[in-house]
Each structure stands twice: as C-alpha cells, then as structure tokens.
Amino acid sequence: MTRHFLRDDDITPAEQHEILDLAVSMKAARWDKRPLEGPETVAVIFDKSSTRTRVSFAVGIADLGGQPLIISTANSQLGGKETPSDTARVLERMVAAIVWRTYGQEGLEEMARGTTVPVVNALSDDFHPCQLLADLLTIREHKGALAGLSLAFLGDGGSNMAQSYALAGATAGMNVSIACPAEFSPAPSVIGDARAIAEKTGGSIHVMEDPAAALQGVDVVVTDTWVSMGKEDEKAERVATFGRYQVDAEKMALASPEAIFLHCLPADRGFEVAPEVIDGPQSVIWDESENRLHAQKALLVWLLERA
C-alpha cells in the first residue's frame, strides 16, 4: 500500500523516529542513498511562491539521483480544467512521487486517493509537515532526545505551523503549549487528534491566551509570520491582534536559559519576532533552514521504500 505524507500524524511515533534517524545519517553522508538513480523524476507542484521548499526539494531530489520537475499550477491544467485525482493518475505514469505546495488540504487528500505514487504535502493552509520534520531534526541536534522536551509556539494558533506543531510534537512525546488569541485557536479536531496521540507518547498539548504562561522554563520557543500567504489584506488587523505575542528578549528570558529559538522563515522582523532574538545566540534558524534538505530527503527515501 502506497504511503503518503499529508499530515504530521500520517506517521506513527516509531516511524517519525525512524525518519529522523535516517535524516541524521543522510546529513552525515549526503550522497550515499540514490533511490532515484536513472534518473527518475519527482513532480514538485507550486500553487504558492517559495524559496526554501523549492530549493530544498530540487536539490534533495538531485542528491538522490533524480531530477525535479517544477510545475506551476498557473501554467498547468491542475486546478483549472483537471481535478487533482486526474492529474495524479497522469503523473503516476511518469514520475516516482508527487510533491505539492497548495492551499486546501482537501486537494492533497484527493490527489493521494487517486494515485499509486507517494504524495507529499509541501505546505497547505492546514499543515506544514515537512517543515516540522526539519524543525524536529534541528531540536534533536541541539537538545538531544525529543521526548519530554517543552515547547512554546506564540502567534496564530490556527496557522498551519501551529497545527503541525501540535500533531508532530505530540507524536514526538513533547509538551507543546500554543499561546494565541482565543479567536485564532487551532481547530478543535486537530487538538483532539494531538491529545489522543500525546496520551500514548507521554506528551501534552495546551492551548492558552497568555504568552508568559506558555513560555515558563520551556526548552524551545517558536513563532511564525502573523500574515500568511493569502491574508495580506488583514495585516493591520493582525498586527494589532498579535502584538502581545511578539517574541522579544523579555519573552525569551522567561524560557530556559538554554532555550533555542526557531522560525520557519520568511520572518517579518519587528513583528512576530524582534531582531535581537532572531539574530541572537539562541536562534538556530539557519540550521533549521538547512535541515529542510536533509529531512525531506529522508522522507522521500522512506516513502519510496514503501511505494
């Protein structure tokens, strides 16, 4: 049965650990695994603009011996005359896997149902699971084992990053606190799924409005843009709403002295994060950015072995 990676909980805790172990080994020996030698092609589809996702997948596929086929939906039939499932059935005859950065999660799910090759969510409005693999790899590199670590996410709790942190953090056995305005809370169904996972892994999920309460003594501090793609016309309102959630030096001081700071980038400096934090000694954002390459390569190898 073909495996897909559309949400962070599409893999079990043991499988998440296996993929991260593979990422560690592949980072140390970058060109050892070449499952796409031939070269085979991987379709990488973009509905949204991208820097890190585009580069990390293109380079990673080449590292694995394959070639990336970068497709813009603006120049294809997908989303216009053709359904995701029909596109998937065409592509599966020619490519080894499909990677899609899109808006609605439902399109990814339809594509996965319609194909026999792995489908990877490179970002949707609801989840950003590839980023979370990179983030967990980065946390592991700097803090050791993930289980039992505490993490605070500040900002838009309904964002794809916050929801992925709930699911992936629970899967890793971490204690995740999401501090956000009540009207920007994660979807109840996502929190319910995350808490069900946490009951089995020993982790925990907390959603609160007070950023100071979320930050007390935590090992990892995370934020993301307050204005996601497609919400630019809401910027003024969002800046006013999220102002108290900015990660600045005062808030970082509430975390553990050894805490690290993560941001998936691009960052709106002076808004969700103060320059002295993102450029400071606790920031590991450049390791995090690089780890998109290694985590995604490991994911592709893992999925292709099960295709």
Side-chain angles (χ1 to χ4, degrees):
M1 178 180 175
T2 304
R3 295 291 299 271
H4 307 288
F5 191 54
L6 311 182
R7 292 172 41 130
D8 305 82
D9 55 350
D10 280 344
I11 52 176
T12 67
E15 289 170 341
Q16 183 193 75
H17 194 278
E18 185 179 347
I19 293 167
L20 293 175
D21 279 348
L22 184 57
V24 170
S25 66
M26 291 178 67
K27 185 173 182 177
R30 181 168 165 178
W31 293 280
D32 274 9
K33 292 191 178 293
R34 307 273 291 177
L36 294 171
E37 199 81 74
E40 292 190 75
T41 299
V42 174
V44 189
I45 308 170
F46 290 93
D47 292 355
K48 297 184 175 185
S49 60
S50 167
T51 298
R52 278 150 294 277
T53 298
R54 184 183 298 267
V55 174
S56 58
F57 269 111
V59 173
I61 291 161
D63 283 359
L64 297 176
Q67 60 183 17
L69 174 61
I70 308 297
I71 302 171
S72 167
T73 48
N75 299 316
S76 73
Q77 301 295 352
L78 178 59
K81 294 182 179 179
E82 194 163 63
T83 65
S85 57
D86 284 354
T87 297
R89 293 192 67 180
V90 171
L91 291 177
E92 73 180 8
R93 302 294 185 99
M94 308 179 201
V95 304
I98 302 168
V99 178
W100 191 10
R101 180 180 175 95
T102 187
Y103 291 92
Q105 183 73 15
E106 63 277 2
L108 282 156
E109 293 169 357
E110 180 185 341
M111 181 169 279
R113 287 193 299 270
T115 186
T116 57
V117 299
V119 175
V120 174
N121 177 0
L123 176 144
S124 70
D125 288 344
D126 291 339
F127 305 105
H128 200 353
C130 287
Q131 181 66 57
L132 260 291
L133 287 178
D135 287 11
L136 293 178
L137 177 60
T138 307
I139 295 166
R140 177 170 149 169
E141 287 177 339
H142 286 270
K143 307 298 288 186
L146 297 172
L149 291 177
S150 55
L151 179 148
F153 179 97
L154 273 61
D156 185 353
S159 67
N160 49 19
M161 283 298 294
Q163 296 197 148
S164 273
Y165 259 107
L167 292 175
T171 302
M174 299 175 71
N175 300 302
V176 177
S177 296
I178 298 173
C180 58
E183 65 271 29
F184 289 93
S185 295
S189 61
V190 172
I191 294 302
D193 291 342
R195 286 177 172 155
I197 296 168
E199 287 180 5
K200 300 174 183 177
T201 62
S204 63
I205 306 296
H206 304 281
V207 180
M208 61 196 72
E209 293 188 56
D210 183 5
L215 287 163
Q216 293 297 324
V218 297
D219 302 300
V220 185
V221 179
V222 188
T223 191
D224 189 20
T225 180
W226 295 338
V227 187
S228 297
M229 284 177 282
K231 302 184 185 297
E232 289 81 4
D233 58 343
E234 303 173 17
K235 182 168 184 175
E237 179 183 351
R238 283 174 167 264
V239 168
T241 300
F242 291 114
R244 65 188 288 239
Y245 296 93
Q246 183 192 76
V247 180
D248 54 18
E250 182 179 352
K251 289 197 183 67
M252 283 299 296
L254 299 174
S256 165
E258 291 78 39
I260 57 174
F261 171 78
L262 284 83
H263 189 306
C264 68
L265 303 179
D268 206 352
R269 293 164 182 265
F271 289 89
E272 72 270 10
V273 60
E276 66 266 22
V277 172
I278 197 168
D279 295 324
Q282 291 171 283
S283 175
V284 296
I285 61 167
W286 308 121
D287 292 343
E288 178 187 10
S289 182
E290 178 192 341
N291 281 336
R292 287 291 300 274
L293 171 66
H294 309 298
Q296 289 164 183
K297 284 173 62 179
L299 173 67
L300 285 173
V301 169
W302 191 88
L303 289 170
L304 289 167
E305 288 175 347
R306 287 152 182 79

